[in-house]
mmCIF file with all atom_site columns, all heavy atoms in Angstrom:
data_model
loop_
_atom_site.group_PDB
_atom_site.id
_atom_site.type_symbol
_atom_site.label_atom_id
_atom_site.label_alt_id
_atom_site.label_comp_id
_atom_site.label_asym_id
_atom_site.label_entity_id
_atom_site.label_seq_id
_atom_site.pdbx_PDB_ins_code
_atom_site.Cartn_x
_atom_site.Cartn_y
_atom_site.Cartn_z
_atom_site.occupancy
_atom_site.B_iso_or_equiv
_atom_site.pdbx_formal_charge
_atom_site.auth_seq_id
_atom_site.auth_comp_id
_atom_site.auth_asym_id
_atom_site.auth_atom_id
_atom_site.pdbx_PDB_model_num
ATOM 1   N N   . LYS H 1 114 ? -16.144 24.334  4.808   1.00 61.00 ? 114 LYS H N   1
ATOM 2   C CA  . LYS H 1 114 ? -16.479 22.993  4.309   1.00 61.00 ? 114 LYS H CA  1
ATOM 3   C C   . LYS H 1 114 ? -16.105 22.835  2.843   1.00 61.00 ? 114 LYS H C   1
ATOM 4   O O   . LYS H 1 114 ? -15.758 21.782  2.385   1.00 61.00 ? 114 LYS H O   1
ATOM 5   C CB  . LYS H 1 114 ? -17.970 22.773  4.452   1.00 61.00 ? 114 LYS H CB  1
ATOM 6   C CG  . LYS H 1 114 ? -18.366 21.923  5.604   1.00 61.00 ? 114 LYS H CG  1
ATOM 7   C CD  . LYS H 1 114 ? -19.857 21.780  5.723   1.00 61.00 ? 114 LYS H CD  1
ATOM 8   C CE  . LYS H 1 114 ? -20.472 20.984  4.593   1.00 61.00 ? 114 LYS H CE  1
ATOM 9   N NZ  . LYS H 1 114 ? -20.373 19.550  4.812   1.00 61.00 ? 114 LYS H NZ  1
ATOM 10  N N   . ASP H 1 115 ? -16.230 23.964  2.105   1.00 65.00 ? 115 ASP H N   1
ATOM 11  C CA  . ASP H 1 115 ? -16.121 23.833  0.672   1.00 65.00 ? 115 ASP H CA  1
ATOM 12  C C   . ASP H 1 115 ? -14.737 23.995  0.138   1.00 65.00 ? 115 ASP H C   1
ATOM 13  O O   . ASP H 1 115 ? -14.518 23.820  -1.046  1.00 65.00 ? 115 ASP H O   1
ATOM 14  C CB  . ASP H 1 115 ? -16.937 24.969  0.034   1.00 65.00 ? 115 ASP H CB  1
ATOM 15  C CG  . ASP H 1 115 ? -18.264 24.429  -0.404  1.00 65.00 ? 115 ASP H CG  1
ATOM 16  O OD1 . ASP H 1 115 ? -18.481 23.249  -0.166  1.00 65.00 ? 115 ASP H OD1 1
ATOM 17  O OD2 . ASP H 1 115 ? -19.013 25.205  -1.007  1.00 65.00 ? 115 ASP H OD2 1
ATOM 18  N N   . ASN H 1 137 ? 4.049   -0.128  2.829   1.00 91.00 ? 137 ASN H N   1
ATOM 19  C CA  . ASN H 1 137 ? 3.663   -1.030  1.774   1.00 91.00 ? 137 ASN H CA  1
ATOM 20  C C   . ASN H 1 137 ? 4.854   -1.610  1.101   1.00 91.00 ? 137 ASN H C   1
ATOM 21  O O   . ASN H 1 137 ? 4.904   -2.834  0.848   1.00 91.00 ? 137 ASN H O   1
ATOM 22  C CB  . ASN H 1 137 ? 2.806   -0.219  0.760   1.00 91.00 ? 137 ASN H CB  1
ATOM 23  C CG  . ASN H 1 137 ? 2.447   -1.027  -0.444  1.00 91.00 ? 137 ASN H CG  1
ATOM 24  O OD1 . ASN H 1 137 ? 1.721   -2.000  -0.356  1.00 91.00 ? 137 ASN H OD1 1
ATOM 25  N ND2 . ASN H 1 137 ? 2.993   -0.729  -1.577  1.00 91.00 ? 137 ASN H ND2 1
ATOM 26  N N   . ASN H 1 210 ? 9.500   -9.128  -9.368  1.00 86.00 ? 210 ASN H N   1
ATOM 27  C CA  . ASN H 1 210 ? 8.126   -9.438  -9.781  1.00 86.00 ? 210 ASN H CA  1
ATOM 28  C C   . ASN H 1 210 ? 7.103   -8.638  -8.971  1.00 86.00 ? 210 ASN H C   1
ATOM 29  O O   . ASN H 1 210 ? 5.906   -8.867  -9.088  1.00 86.00 ? 210 ASN H O   1
ATOM 30  C CB  . ASN H 1 210 ? 7.818   -10.912 -9.609  1.00 86.00 ? 210 ASN H CB  1
ATOM 31  C CG  . ASN H 1 210 ? 8.246   -11.391 -8.222  1.00 86.00 ? 210 ASN H CG  1
ATOM 32  O OD1 . ASN H 1 210 ? 8.874   -10.681 -7.490  1.00 86.00 ? 210 ASN H OD1 1
ATOM 33  N ND2 . ASN H 1 210 ? 7.921   -12.639 -7.899  1.00 86.00 ? 210 ASN H ND2 1
ATOM 34  N N   . ARG H 1 211 ? 7.552   -7.672  -8.160  1.00 87.00 ? 211 ARG H N   1
ATOM 35  C CA  . ARG H 1 211 ? 6.620   -6.836  -7.403  1.00 87.00 ? 211 ARG H CA  1
ATOM 36  C C   . ARG H 1 211 ? 6.846   -5.407  -7.596  1.00 87.00 ? 211 ARG H C   1
ATOM 37  O O   . ARG H 1 211 ? 6.318   -4.565  -6.880  1.00 87.00 ? 211 ARG H O   1
ATOM 38  C CB  . ARG H 1 211 ? 6.736   -7.146  -5.926  1.00 87.00 ? 211 ARG H CB  1
ATOM 39  C CG  . ARG H 1 211 ? 6.373   -8.558  -5.636  1.00 87.00 ? 211 ARG H CG  1
ATOM 40  C CD  . ARG H 1 211 ? 6.468   -8.851  -4.164  1.00 87.00 ? 211 ARG H CD  1
ATOM 41  N NE  . ARG H 1 211 ? 6.187   -10.253 -3.995  1.00 87.00 ? 211 ARG H NE  1
ATOM 42  C CZ  . ARG H 1 211 ? 6.177   -10.832 -2.810  1.00 87.00 ? 211 ARG H CZ  1
ATOM 43  N NH1 . ARG H 1 211 ? 6.410   -10.152 -1.730  1.00 87.00 ? 211 ARG H NH1 1
ATOM 44  N NH2 . ARG H 1 211 ? 5.920   -12.128 -2.707  1.00 87.00 ? 211 ARG H NH2 1
ATOM 45  N N   . LEU H 1 214 ? 3.693   -3.342  -8.102  1.00 90.00 ? 214 LEU H N   1
ATOM 46  C CA  . LEU H 1 214 ? 2.884   -3.248  -6.893  1.00 90.00 ? 214 LEU H CA  1
ATOM 47  C C   . LEU H 1 214 ? 3.417   -2.123  -5.974  1.00 90.00 ? 214 LEU H C   1
ATOM 48  O O   . LEU H 1 214 ? 2.664   -1.514  -5.283  1.00 90.00 ? 214 LEU H O   1
ATOM 49  C CB  . LEU H 1 214 ? 2.867   -4.560  -6.123  1.00 90.00 ? 214 LEU H CB  1
ATOM 50  C CG  . LEU H 1 214 ? 2.185   -5.745  -6.797  1.00 90.00 ? 214 LEU H CG  1
ATOM 51  C CD1 . LEU H 1 214 ? 2.167   -6.922  -5.838  1.00 90.00 ? 214 LEU H CD1 1
ATOM 52  C CD2 . LEU H 1 214 ? 0.779   -5.383  -7.177  1.00 90.00 ? 214 LEU H CD2 1
ATOM 53  N N   . TYR H 1 217 ? 2.873   1.557   -7.875  1.00 93.00 ? 217 TYR H N   1
ATOM 54  C CA  . TYR H 1 217 ? 1.528   2.113   -8.080  1.00 93.00 ? 217 TYR H CA  1
ATOM 55  C C   . TYR H 1 217 ? 1.132   3.067   -6.953  1.00 93.00 ? 217 TYR H C   1
ATOM 56  O O   . TYR H 1 217 ? 0.566   4.158   -7.242  1.00 93.00 ? 217 TYR H O   1
ATOM 57  C CB  . TYR H 1 217 ? 0.515   1.000   -8.251  1.00 93.00 ? 217 TYR H CB  1
ATOM 58  C CG  . TYR H 1 217 ? -0.876  1.509   -8.167  1.00 93.00 ? 217 TYR H CG  1
ATOM 59  C CD1 . TYR H 1 217 ? -1.422  2.282   -9.214  1.00 93.00 ? 217 TYR H CD1 1
ATOM 60  C CD2 . TYR H 1 217 ? -1.666  1.299   -7.079  1.00 93.00 ? 217 TYR H CD2 1
ATOM 61  C CE1 . TYR H 1 217 ? -2.661  2.777   -9.155  1.00 93.00 ? 217 TYR H CE1 1
ATOM 62  C CE2 . TYR H 1 217 ? -2.953  1.823   -6.989  1.00 93.00 ? 217 TYR H CE2 1
ATOM 63  C CZ  . TYR H 1 217 ? -3.442  2.578   -8.026  1.00 93.00 ? 217 TYR H CZ  1
ATOM 64  O OH  . TYR H 1 217 ? -4.682  3.093   -7.936  1.00 93.00 ? 217 TYR H OH  1
ATOM 65  N N   . ASP A 2 83  ? 2.130   -11.173 0.519   1.00 85.00 ? 83  ASP A N   1
ATOM 66  C CA  . ASP A 2 83  ? 3.030   -12.072 -0.216  1.00 85.00 ? 83  ASP A CA  1
ATOM 67  C C   . ASP A 2 83  ? 2.461   -12.361 -1.581  1.00 85.00 ? 83  ASP A C   1
ATOM 68  O O   . ASP A 2 83  ? 2.110   -13.514 -1.893  1.00 85.00 ? 83  ASP A O   1
ATOM 69  C CB  . ASP A 2 83  ? 3.153   -13.335 0.636   1.00 85.00 ? 83  ASP A CB  1
ATOM 70  C CG  . ASP A 2 83  ? 4.281   -14.184 0.160   1.00 85.00 ? 83  ASP A CG  1
ATOM 71  O OD1 . ASP A 2 83  ? 5.127   -13.709 -0.597  1.00 85.00 ? 83  ASP A OD1 1
ATOM 72  O OD2 . ASP A 2 83  ? 4.312   -15.382 0.534   1.00 85.00 ? 83  ASP A OD2 1
ATOM 73  N N   . VAL A 2 84  ? 2.273   -11.344 -2.392  1.00 86.00 ? 84  VAL A N   1
ATOM 74  C CA  . VAL A 2 84  ? 1.718   -11.539 -3.729  1.00 86.00 ? 84  VAL A CA  1
ATOM 75  C C   . VAL A 2 84  ? 2.600   -10.883 -4.739  1.00 86.00 ? 84  VAL A C   1
ATOM 76  O O   . VAL A 2 84  ? 3.291   -9.930  -4.449  1.00 86.00 ? 84  VAL A O   1
ATOM 77  C CB  . VAL A 2 84  ? 0.290   -10.892 -3.848  1.00 86.00 ? 84  VAL A CB  1
ATOM 78  C CG1 . VAL A 2 84  ? -0.743  -11.810 -3.247  1.00 86.00 ? 84  VAL A CG1 1
ATOM 79  C CG2 . VAL A 2 84  ? 0.242   -9.558  -3.203  1.00 86.00 ? 84  VAL A CG2 1
ATOM 80  N N   . ASP A 2 85  ? 2.510   -11.391 -5.946  1.00 87.00 ? 85  ASP A N   1
ATOM 81  C CA  . ASP A 2 85  ? 3.207   -10.770 -7.069  1.00 87.00 ? 85  ASP A CA  1
ATOM 82  C C   . ASP A 2 85  ? 2.270   -9.948  -7.893  1.00 87.00 ? 85  ASP A C   1
ATOM 83  O O   . ASP A 2 85  ? 1.052   -10.087 -7.776  1.00 87.00 ? 85  ASP A O   1
ATOM 84  C CB  . ASP A 2 85  ? 3.802   -11.869 -7.967  1.00 87.00 ? 85  ASP A CB  1
ATOM 85  C CG  . ASP A 2 85  ? 4.875   -12.665 -7.228  1.00 87.00 ? 85  ASP A CG  1
ATOM 86  O OD1 . ASP A 2 85  ? 5.411   -12.148 -6.242  1.00 87.00 ? 85  ASP A OD1 1
ATOM 87  O OD2 . ASP A 2 85  ? 5.145   -13.813 -7.655  1.00 87.00 ? 85  ASP A OD2 1
ATOM 88  N N   . THR A 2 86  ? 2.830   -9.152  -8.790  1.00 89.00 ? 86  THR A N   1
ATOM 89  C CA  . THR A 2 86  ? 2.010   -8.327  -9.665  1.00 89.00 ? 86  THR A CA  1
ATOM 90  C C   . THR A 2 86  ? 1.077   -9.162  -10.461 1.00 89.00 ? 86  THR A C   1
ATOM 91  O O   . THR A 2 86  ? -0.124  -8.858  -10.620 1.00 89.00 ? 86  THR A O   1
ATOM 92  C CB  . THR A 2 86  ? 2.924   -7.535  -10.617 1.00 89.00 ? 86  THR A CB  1
ATOM 93  O OG1 . THR A 2 86  ? 3.955   -6.901  -9.867  1.00 89.00 ? 86  THR A OG1 1
ATOM 94  C CG2 . THR A 2 86  ? 2.136   -6.525  -11.403 1.00 89.00 ? 86  THR A CG2 1
ATOM 95  N N   . TYR A 2 117 ? -3.038  -6.459  0.100   1.00 91.00 ? 117 TYR A N   1
ATOM 96  C CA  . TYR A 2 117 ? -2.623  -5.383  -0.793  1.00 91.00 ? 117 TYR A CA  1
ATOM 97  C C   . TYR A 2 117 ? -3.792  -4.920  -1.626  1.00 91.00 ? 117 TYR A C   1
ATOM 98  O O   . TYR A 2 117 ? -4.091  -3.750  -1.735  1.00 91.00 ? 117 TYR A O   1
ATOM 99  C CB  . TYR A 2 117 ? -1.490  -5.897  -1.689  1.00 91.00 ? 117 TYR A CB  1
ATOM 100 C CG  . TYR A 2 117 ? -1.029  -4.879  -2.686  1.00 91.00 ? 117 TYR A CG  1
ATOM 101 C CD1 . TYR A 2 117 ? 0.025   -4.024  -2.350  1.00 91.00 ? 117 TYR A CD1 1
ATOM 102 C CD2 . TYR A 2 117 ? -1.610  -4.776  -3.936  1.00 91.00 ? 117 TYR A CD2 1
ATOM 103 C CE1 . TYR A 2 117 ? 0.437   -3.080  -3.276  1.00 91.00 ? 117 TYR A CE1 1
ATOM 104 C CE2 . TYR A 2 117 ? -1.181  -3.828  -4.840  1.00 91.00 ? 117 TYR A CE2 1
ATOM 105 C CZ  . TYR A 2 117 ? -0.154  -2.980  -4.515  1.00 91.00 ? 117 TYR A CZ  1
ATOM 106 O OH  . TYR A 2 117 ? 0.275   -2.057  -5.395  1.00 91.00 ? 117 TYR A OH  1
ATOM 107 N N   . THR A 2 125 ? -7.779  3.830   -3.903  1.00 95.00 ? 125 THR A N   1
ATOM 108 C CA  . THR A 2 125 ? -7.985  4.367   -5.262  1.00 95.00 ? 125 THR A CA  1
ATOM 109 C C   . THR A 2 125 ? -9.441  4.767   -5.474  1.00 95.00 ? 125 THR A C   1
ATOM 110 O O   . THR A 2 125 ? -9.705  5.851   -6.030  1.00 95.00 ? 125 THR A O   1
ATOM 111 C CB  . THR A 2 125 ? -7.609  3.301   -6.287  1.00 95.00 ? 125 THR A CB  1
ATOM 112 O OG1 . THR A 2 125 ? -6.319  2.773   -5.997  1.00 95.00 ? 125 THR A OG1 1
ATOM 113 C CG2 . THR A 2 125 ? -7.577  3.898   -7.682  1.00 95.00 ? 125 THR A CG2 1
ATOM 114 N N   . HIS A 2 155 ? -13.218 18.243  1.458   1.00 85.00 ? 155 HIS A N   1
ATOM 115 C CA  . HIS A 2 155 ? -13.774 17.448  2.535   1.00 85.00 ? 155 HIS A CA  1
ATOM 116 C C   . HIS A 2 155 ? -14.354 16.139  1.996   1.00 85.00 ? 155 HIS A C   1
ATOM 117 O O   . HIS A 2 155 ? -14.521 15.188  2.729   1.00 85.00 ? 155 HIS A O   1
ATOM 118 C CB  . HIS A 2 155 ? -14.829 18.213  3.312   1.00 85.00 ? 155 HIS A CB  1
ATOM 119 C CG  . HIS A 2 155 ? -16.054 18.505  2.473   1.00 85.00 ? 155 HIS A CG  1
ATOM 120 N ND1 . HIS A 2 155 ? -16.051 19.474  1.478   1.00 85.00 ? 155 HIS A ND1 1
ATOM 121 C CD2 . HIS A 2 155 ? -17.256 17.928  2.464   1.00 85.00 ? 155 HIS A CD2 1
ATOM 122 C CE1 . HIS A 2 155 ? -17.257 19.497  0.931   1.00 85.00 ? 155 HIS A CE1 1
ATOM 123 N NE2 . HIS A 2 155 ? -18.007 18.556  1.494   1.00 85.00 ? 155 HIS A NE2 1
#
Side-chain angles (χ1 to χ4, degrees):
Chain H
K114 257 178 69 82
D115 259 3
N137 176 66
N210 50 351
R211 296 182 184 181
L214 294 185
Y217 170 71
Chain A
D83 194 16
V84 278
D85 295 339
T86 311
Y117 178 91
T125 311
H155 66 285

